[in-house]
Amino acid sequence: MTRRKLLSLIPVAGCAPAYALGVEPNWLERTHTQVKLPCRNLTSGVRILHLSDFHASVVVPFSLIENSVEMGLDAKPDVICLTGDFVTDATPFDQVEYRRILRRLSSAAPVVACLGNHDGGIWSAKTGGLTDSSVVCGLLKAGNVSLLHNASEVVRVRDQAIRFAGVADLWSYTVNGDLAFAGASADNPAILLAHNPDAKDKLANRPWDLMLSGHTHGGQVVLPFLGERFVPIRDKRFVAGLKQWNGRQVYVTRGVGSIDGIRVNCRPEVTVLDLSS
Ligand SMILES: [Fe+2]
């Protein structure tokens, strides 16, 4: 590289922090993915809006969360799944505003959810966050969101019964597959909501077809040659996107917010999944 070329890169390098902090974290991308459930006989396609990791905090404004909601609703989903990390820490937030945004979702379609590691529990308490999940549970209830905390619910979507099962966050050490799948039969398609994709191993013997997760933020900072810089999971194959796993499928969304408000080569994601047989 000549000296002149090297000097020409200085302004670009100088802009990088501004881009990583001010541009990319707010640059939502709506992705569309076809998910075929080969063992299921769906009479018509089902569209799922999957949002995760809102991380409402000083670095993730409600405007970003609301923009993700509106972008998702533009796709006219049949059902909406939220996979945890609604907040980042115990800092008080505007509950009225957050509730209003969640109600925007629940007024458009049924909304089911699970909790993330930041929403209260052993890990959250140990790291100075919420000591329990009462604040987030109250928020979800007020927003007409059905929290599936080691529980499941059958939702009728386009005249088809689909079971949605949700589990506690893996790092809370309270995942309970018996409760989450109580009464479940192998007859209905089943979608599992689990914040951390590593939960798949613990739930390998349960009757689910597709697992929806977040937690990784897609790696958040993805550098050339070095790859993802934020990978808080054991099974590093499940950082983002649709993956096949032992005859099942797992979708890990990059999520909407982040912990520190930085993203590089990893735009926040509004995920639309089209299920078919
Ligand atoms: Fe998260």
Side-chain angles (χ1 to χ4, degrees), residues 53 55 85 117-118 195 215-217 259:
D53 296 80
H55 277 289
D85 278 3
N117 53 301
H118 285 266
H195 178 67
H215 184 57
T216 62
H217 308 172
I259 294 167

Side-chain angles (χ1 to χ4, degrees), residues 29 31 33 50 52-53 195-198 211-222 227-233 235-244 249-255 263-269 271 273:
E29 179 184 18
T31 63
T33 303
H50 177 198
S52 193
D53 296 80
H195 178 67
N196 186 326
D198 281 340
M211 183 169 110
L212 303 182
S213 297
H215 184 57
T216 62
H217 308 172
Q220 210 172 298
V221 174
V222 183
E228 302 94 351
R229 300 289 84 200
F230 177 80
V231 192
I233 49 173
D235 190 341
K236 309 294 185 195
R237 297 172 299 172
F238 291 79
V239 177
L242 183 67
K243 308 288 179 184
Q244 308 294 317
Q249 296 178 85
V250 178
Y251 193 92
V252 184
T253 178
R254 301 193 301 267
R263 280 186 182 266
V264 176
N265 288 327
C266 189
R267 288 168 62 188
E269 179 177 358
T271 307
L273 302 170

Side-chain angles (χ1 to χ4, degrees), residues 86-113:
F86 293 90
V87 296
T88 293
D89 52 36
T91 306
F93 58 89
D94 186 342
Q95 300 237 7
V96 174
E97 180 67 352
Y98 210 156
R99 183 177 65 207
R100 181 185 69 75
I101 295 169
L102 292 177
R103 283 187 178 176
R104 180 78 183 97
L105 286 172
S106 54
S107 65
V111 188
V112 291

Side-chain angles (χ1 to χ4, degrees), residues 14-34:
C15 291
Y19 173 81
L21 287 162
V23 177
E24 189 161 321
N26 300 304
W27 189 12
L28 290 161
E29 179 184 18
R30 192 171 80 194
T31 63
H32 289 251
T33 303
Q34 303 285 333

Side-chain angles (χ1 to χ4, degrees), residues 13-14 42 86 117 128 135 162 178 182 224 228 267 277:
L42 295 173
F86 293 90
N117 53 301
V135 170
I162 298 181
D178 287 339
E228 302 94 351
R267 288 168 62 188
S277 299

